[in-house]
Amino acid sequence: MKTLLLCDRESVRYDGLDLCAQTQTTVQKAGGQTQTIILNCQEIKPCRGCFHCWLKTPGLCVMTDDCANTVSRQEIQADAVILLSKITYGGYSGDVKAFLDRSIPNISPFFELVKGTMRHRRRYDRFPYLISIGYDARTPKEQQTFLTLAERNALNMRPPQYFAFTMQSSGEVEATMQALEDILRREVWRP
Amino acid sequence: MSDIVFINGSPKAKDSVSGMLIDKIEALLQAKSSVYQAVSLLRNENNAAALTEILNARVLLIVFPLYVDSLPAPLIRVLNLLEEAAPKMAGQLPRLYGVCNCGFFEAEHNRLALEILENFAHCAGMGWGYGVGVGGGGFIAAQSKKMATGGPAFNVYSALRELCAAIQDGKTRQQNVLVRPKIPRFLYQLGAHFGWRQMAKKYGATAFLQAKPHREV
Ligand SMILES: Cc1cc2nc3c(=O)[nH]c(=O)nc-3n(C[C@H](O)[C@H](O)[C@H](O)COP(=O)(O)O)c2cc1C
């Protein structure tokens, strides 16, 4: 089972812990292979909102001098994607969001109605399982915002299932890693 | 010092819906104001003076598009910079208002992005005015000229007018305002799909719109 782990730069030194390495170890313990990418918003150019990835070179971003198209490819070819992000006002950090904005070539420009509201159609017939892990929330409200965001993202990307975890302190890392291992074994790798 | 400072969170250099909404709001407010582009603030390493001007204003109004159910990445980074700079300010921080527009028809989609902006205000120690979430962004761009006097986007304009009145009177709201142009959803979808196809035709890409370049062979 191929797992793509996308993390932000801060995740390797969260309160003295390397959360990125711990997540990687957890996935391997659960029997998955991981590919880990540390995203850096200084290197990933901001999406410029031109929609050429939908209408000119469908499925590919026209900015080709950074890693975004490669990571989008790895996303589609993975069985599961884990987004490891510092909770930033309840959303993803700048590093993780820089890639998410550039990943829209992976969906279709066309709309359809899902549960009564407008969504994009899929480009690919399958999208990997989506797992969002948010750390360093400052308030319970931020945790709630992050969980709702993961739910909304899943409505657009349409993974078979999505999972989201939040942490307010490094004391919660161990329990979160245990929960991650459980869902990988029970839900994601299940035959 | 400006009374009101805008940040345009759209990464588009021109013709953004956010820019159009800022023009409308500026005209309604008739106050001295400055507009900063989020992407330019990041590009310019000497942005300390700009950040100071933003943090010294009475009102900060952030106008932005919805990107993947939340804020565009460059805007998140600008919020990080503002939060970092805020404790160094001597006076009172501005009160924050937000306007988010999205490509989907329903205004609902903007709710979470406005919540993120409100969470930011609390982290940075700013007061929160309220937010306006605008659905059907693709349609209101075309209504720019008429929306002040009537037509299906008049209610969007009215929501901006109420926002300006609230800003001028220093008023806040408990709830955000969600508004979309008054057209049927199927018509909006039809128009959007027609627009996509026209653009694809211009690029000779009509036949490849559903291309799957990353599918494993
Ligand atoms: C990377 C990207 C992500 C987007 N994500 C969403 C979304 O999640 N929901 C939505 O309704 N519209 C989404 N849109 C559409 C924009 O919100 C819409 O086109 C908006 O009108 C752009 O405003 P602007 O011209 O001010 O940049 C997205 C557009 C881009 C380029």
Side-chain angles (χ1 to χ4, degrees):
Chain A
M1 286 300 205
K2 278 198 288 189
T3 306
L4 178 65
L5 173 56
L6 301 176
C7 3
D8 50 19
R9 285 170 291 168
E10 284 194 45
S11 67
V12 301
R13 47 184 149 76
Y14 169 46
D15 207 5
L17 296 177
D18 184 341
L19 207 48
C20 171
Q22 290 211 20
T23 309
Q24 198 173 327
T25 311
T26 304
V27 175
Q28 286 159 355
K29 226 168 97 190
Q33 308 154 356
T34 48
Q35 175 165 27
T36 302
I37 298 172
I38 297 171
L39 301 166
N40 178 348
C41 62
Q42 313 277 2
E43 284 164 13
I44 302 174
K45 302 207 167 58
C47 167
R48 55 179 200 215
C50 67
F51 294 132
H52 285 177
C53 63
W54 285 345
L55 308 167
K56 192 175 183 182
T57 53
L60 294 171
C61 178
V62 291
M63 290 189 272
T64 52
D65 50 358
D66 61 20
C67 68
N69 277 325
T70 308
V71 182
S72 285
R73 183 179 190 84
Q74 287 161 333
E75 173 174 77
I76 289 301
Q77 297 187 347
D79 298 301
V81 170
I82 301 179
L83 301 171
L84 179 58
S85 174
K86 179 182 162 94
I87 296 182
T88 308
Y89 319 122
Y92 294 103
S93 60
D95 282 346
V96 171
K97 191 65 180 22
F99 167 68
L100 290 179
D101 289 354
R102 294 282 301 283
S103 73
I104 65 159
N106 280 346
I107 54 175
S108 156
F110 294 104
F111 299 140
E112 65 183 7
L113 290 184
V114 178
K115 294 185 186 157
T117 52
M118 205 172 249
R119 297 288 170 191
H120 284 282
R121 284 187 205 155
R122 300 159 187 259
R123 178 174 300 279
Y124 296 94
D125 39 21
R126 63 175 274 291
F127 196 87
Y129 283 83
L130 200 54
I131 302 165
S132 305
I133 306 175
Y135 62 92
D136 207 20
R138 285 184 269 190
T139 59
K141 168 100 186 296
E142 283 194 357
Q143 287 179 295
Q144 193 47 55
T145 308
F146 189 84
L147 295 174
T148 314
L149 179 58
E151 180 186 349
R152 296 202 75 115
N153 287 160
L155 288 172
N156 270 325
M157 306 303 180
R158 254 74 73 68
Q161 265 184 286
Y162 84 94
F163 304 91
F165 303 98
T166 59
M167 293 179 261
Q168 251 185 299
S169 75
S170 55
E172 295 165 71
V173 171
E174 208 181 305
T176 304
M177 291 299 134
Q178 187 57 55
L180 174 64
E181 191 183 332
D182 287 350
I183 61 117
L184 287 173
R185 282 186 200 281
R186 264 191 293 119
E187 308 284 343
V188 181
W189 303 161
R190 132 189 105 164
Chain B
M1 193 190 104
S2 296
D3 186 40
I4 299 169
V5 173
F6 291 84
I7 295 177
N8 182 343
S10 175
K12 285 186 211 159
K14 58 180 177 65
D15 296 334
S16 67
V17 176
S18 304
M20 186 273 267
L21 295 173
I22 289 176
D23 289 346
K24 300 278 171 225
I25 297 169
E26 269 194 305
L28 279 163
L29 284 171
Q30 294 180 324
K32 187 175 178 303
S33 59
S34 313
V35 183
Y36 289 99
Q37 308 287 327
V39 279
S40 315
L41 283 171
L42 293 176
R43 228 179 279 130
N44 183 358
E45 280 176 10
N46 303 318
N47 55 18
L51 295 178
T52 303
E53 187 191 355
I54 294 168
L55 291 167
N56 278 330
R58 182 179 66 87
V59 169
L60 170 59
L61 183 47
I62 302 185
V63 184
F64 63 102
L66 187 68
Y67 269 25
V68 198
D69 290 304
S70 61
L71 281 51
L75 182 56
I76 299 173
R77 293 170 59 199
V78 167
L79 299 187
N80 286 152
L81 292 178
L82 288 172
E83 190 195 344
E84 239 173 73
K88 294 172 216 143
M89 295 296 129
Q92 181 152 18
L93 295 171
R95 178 179 284 156
L96 177 63
Y97 293 82
V99 178
C100 181
N101 94 89
C102 74
F104 288 141
F105 177 73
E106 303 86 8
E108 257 300 305
H109 296 280
N110 298 298
R111 191 188 288 281
L112 206 63
L114 294 171
E115 189 174 306
I116 290 172
L117 206 60
E118 182 180 352
N119 291 343
F120 157 76
H122 295 315
C123 287
M126 291 181 188
W128 171 245
Y130 69 95
V132 179
V134 181
F139 178 78
I140 55 166
Q143 294 288 310
S144 158
K145 291 212 171 65
K146 315 177 226 175
M147 66 193 285
T149 48
F154 182 65
N155 59 338
V156 175
Y157 187 80
S158 303
L160 297 182
R161 206 173 42 206
E162 280 167 26
L163 174 70
C164 294
I167 288 172
Q168 275 160 342
D169 302 343
K171 293 223 168 82
T172 65
R173 283 188 196 229
Q174 295 300 317
Q175 300 284 327
N176 294 323
V177 172
L178 299 176
V179 64
R180 60 156 173 83
K182 287 192 168 143
I183 52 165
R185 183 162 57 191
F186 83 91
L187 212 60
Y188 181 77
Q189 178 159 324
L190 215 65
H193 288 180
F194 179 76
W196 294 141
R197 291 208 170 85
Q198 287 298 103
M199 277 220 263
K201 200 165 152 192
K202 194 173 110 194
Y203 298 125
T206 309
F208 323 110
L209 284 179
Q210 290 297 333
K212 297 171 176 53
H214 301 322
R215 190 164 63 185
E216 258 180 309
V217 276

